[in-house]
Protein backbone atom coordinates (compact mmCIF):
# COMPACT_ATOMS: atom_id res chain seq x y z
CA UNK A 1 0.00 0.00 0.00
CA UNK A 2 1.37 3.38 -0.92
CA UNK A 3 1.74 6.17 1.59
CA UNK A 4 -0.71 8.33 -0.40
CA UNK A 5 -3.44 5.65 -0.47
CA UNK A 6 -2.92 5.07 3.26
CA UNK A 7 -3.23 8.81 3.79
CA UNK A 8 -6.58 8.73 1.96
CA UNK A 9 -7.79 5.92 4.24
CA UNK A 10 -7.11 7.75 7.50
CA UNK A 11 -8.14 11.30 6.62
CA UNK A 12 -11.91 10.99 7.05
CA UNK A 13 -14.17 11.85 9.96
CA UNK A 14 -14.83 8.16 10.71
CA UNK A 15 -12.32 6.55 13.10
CA UNK A 16 -10.01 4.08 11.35
CA UNK A 17 -8.51 1.25 13.38
CA UNK A 18 -5.38 -0.09 11.69
CA UNK A 19 -4.23 -3.59 12.63
CA UNK A 20 -0.55 -3.99 11.74
CA UNK A 21 -0.07 -7.76 11.71
CA UNK A 22 1.76 -10.65 10.06
CA UNK A 23 0.76 -14.08 8.74
CA UNK A 24 3.22 -15.85 11.05
CA UNK A 25 2.02 -14.04 14.20
CA UNK A 26 0.01 -16.17 16.66
CA UNK A 27 -1.48 -13.26 18.65
CA UNK A 28 -2.51 -11.62 15.35
CA UNK A 29 -4.65 -14.67 14.60
CA UNK A 30 -6.29 -14.31 18.04
CA UNK A 31 -7.08 -10.68 17.25
CA UNK A 32 -9.01 -11.37 14.02
CA UNK A 33 -12.24 -12.64 15.66
CA UNK A 34 -12.08 -9.81 18.21
CA UNK A 35 -11.93 -7.26 15.39
CA UNK A 36 -14.88 -8.97 13.68
CA UNK A 37 -16.91 -8.61 16.89
CA UNK A 38 -15.93 -4.94 17.18
CA UNK A 39 -17.05 -4.34 13.59
CA UNK A 40 -20.34 -6.19 14.21
CA UNK A 41 -20.96 -4.09 17.33
CA UNK A 42 -20.03 -0.69 15.86
CA UNK A 43 -20.95 -1.14 12.19
CA UNK A 44 -20.27 2.02 10.16
CA UNK A 45 -18.94 3.97 13.16
CA UNK A 46 -15.46 2.56 12.49
CA UNK A 47 -13.32 1.30 9.63
CA UNK A 48 -11.03 -1.61 10.51
CA UNK A 49 -8.11 -2.26 8.20
CA UNK A 50 -5.54 -5.02 8.46
CA UNK A 51 -2.07 -4.29 7.13
CA UNK A 52 0.52 -7.04 6.70
CA UNK A 53 3.86 -5.63 7.89
CA UNK A 54 5.82 -8.07 5.71
CA UNK A 55 4.07 -6.81 2.55
CA UNK A 56 4.05 -3.16 3.67
CA UNK A 57 7.45 -2.74 5.33
CA UNK A 58 7.81 0.94 4.44
CA UNK A 59 4.43 1.82 5.93
CA UNK A 60 5.18 -0.16 9.09
CA UNK A 61 8.53 1.63 9.31
CA UNK A 62 6.87 5.05 8.87
CA UNK A 63 4.70 4.35 11.92
CA UNK A 64 7.54 2.72 13.87
CA UNK A 65 5.74 -0.61 14.18
CA UNK A 66 8.29 -2.87 15.87
CA UNK A 67 6.06 -5.67 17.13
CA UNK A 68 2.86 -7.27 15.91
CA UNK A 69 0.03 -6.95 16.43
CA UNK A 70 0.17 -3.17 16.78
CA UNK A 71 -3.10 -1.29 16.56
CA UNK A 72 -3.35 2.42 15.79
CA UNK A 73 -6.56 4.47 15.78
CA UNK A 74 -6.71 7.42 13.38
CA UNK A 75 -9.31 10.10 12.78
CA UNK A 76 -8.86 13.04 10.40
CA UNK A 77 -5.27 11.86 9.78
CA UNK A 78 -4.39 12.19 13.48
CA UNK A 79 -3.11 9.27 15.52
CA UNK A 80 -5.38 9.10 18.58
CA UNK A 81 -4.29 5.84 20.21
CA UNK A 82 -1.76 3.08 19.82
CA UNK A 83 -1.19 -0.28 21.47
CA UNK A 84 0.85 -3.40 20.84
CA UNK A 85 -0.63 -6.72 21.84
CA UNK A 86 -4.19 -8.03 21.88
CA UNK A 87 -6.79 -5.76 23.48
CA UNK A 88 -10.26 -7.01 24.42
CA UNK A 89 -13.36 -6.36 22.35
CA UNK A 90 -14.75 -4.14 25.13
CA UNK A 91 -11.56 -2.04 25.26
CA UNK A 92 -11.70 -1.44 21.51
CA UNK A 93 -15.44 -0.68 21.43
CA UNK A 94 -15.06 1.82 24.28
CA UNK A 95 -12.02 3.40 22.63
CA UNK A 96 -13.76 3.91 19.28
CA UNK A 97 -16.94 5.24 20.92
CA UNK A 98 -14.87 7.96 22.61
CA UNK A 99 -13.82 9.24 19.18
CA UNK A 100 -16.99 8.84 17.09
Amino acid sequence: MSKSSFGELIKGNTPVLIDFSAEWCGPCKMLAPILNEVKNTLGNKVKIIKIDVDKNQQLASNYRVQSVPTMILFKESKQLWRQSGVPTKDQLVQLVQQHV
Side-chain angles (χ1 to χ4, degrees):
M1 174 176 298
S2 72
K3 191 172 181 180
S4 61
S5 60
F6 184 78
E8 285 295 311
L9 282 174
I10 64 172
K11 78 175 190 179
N13 197 28
T14 302
V16 180
L17 188 60
I18 305 292
D19 169 21
F20 286 97
S21 63
E23 291 292 321
W24 46 264
C25 164
C28 299
K29 291 180 176 83
M30 293 171 24
L31 187 56
I34 294 170
L35 292 176
N36 286 338
E37 289 179 33
V38 170
K39 185 63 177 168
N40 290 339
T41 300
L42 295 174
N44 292 334
K45 292 180 181 173
V46 66
K47 292 180 192 170
I48 299 175
I49 299 166
K50 183 176 185 166
I51 295 184
D52 186 319
V53 295
D54 292 327
K55 294 177 184 160
N56 297 280
Q57 292 178 351
Q58 186 60 51
L59 194 58
S61 176
N62 290 347
Y63 287 95
R64 297 187 278 303
V65 174
Q66 296 177 348
S67 64
V68 288
T70 292
M71 310 212 45
I72 303 176
L73 183 70
F74 291 93
K75 184 175 179 180
E76 297 170 349
S77 301
K78 294 185 189 88
Q79 182 175 312
L80 303 175
W81 172 88
R82 176 186 183 118
Q83 179 178 317
S84 294
V86 181
T88 67
K89 173 199 165 201
D90 292 340
Q91 286 173 314
L92 290 173
V93 167
Q94 184 178 18
L95 168 75
V96 171
Q97 287 177 331
Q98 290 172 2
H99 297 288
V100 171

